[in-house]
């Protein structure tokens, strides 16, 4: 899938001094692509709807803290 026309959203938690953050693009059907806002030449990571839902659930449950 070509990602040149997707809309990339930046988190509201972006570091305001360095502007470092990740960006997320909706790929449809719950799938997403994630990229580093500082290294946009690197290939984005792609996640299925199930993978993304599991990640979000883990964040909410504090699994990564």
């Amino acid at each position: 899938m070509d990602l040149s026309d997707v809309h990339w959203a930046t988190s509201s938690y972006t570091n305001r001094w360095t502007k470092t953050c990740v960006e997320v693009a909706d790929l449809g059907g719950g799938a997403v692509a994630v990229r580093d806002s500082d290294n946009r030449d690197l290939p984005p990571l792609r996640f299925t709807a199930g993978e993304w839902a599991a990640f979000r659930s883990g964040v909410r449950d504090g699994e990564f803290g």
Side-chain angles (χ1 to χ4, degrees):
M1 174 182 204
D2 178 21
L3 300 179
S4 61
D5 290 334
V6 298
H7 170 74
W8 292 95
T10 303
S11 168
S12 61
Y13 290 100
T14 299
N15 182 311
R16 65 181 175 192
W17 294 281
T18 63
K19 303 292 184 193
T20 56
C21 192
V22 295
E23 297 172 319
V24 178
D26 180 3
L27 301 179
V32 298
V34 179
R35 71 180 181 185
D36 182 341
S37 64
D38 285 339
N39 295 301
R40 292 180 179 161
D41 291 334
L42 295 175
L45 302 174
R46 297 173 191 224
F47 300 95
T48 66
E51 292 167 333
W52 190 243
F55 171 74
R56 289 182 8 237
S57 179
V59 169
R60 283 189 213 113
D61 292 344
E63 291 181 25
F64 308 108

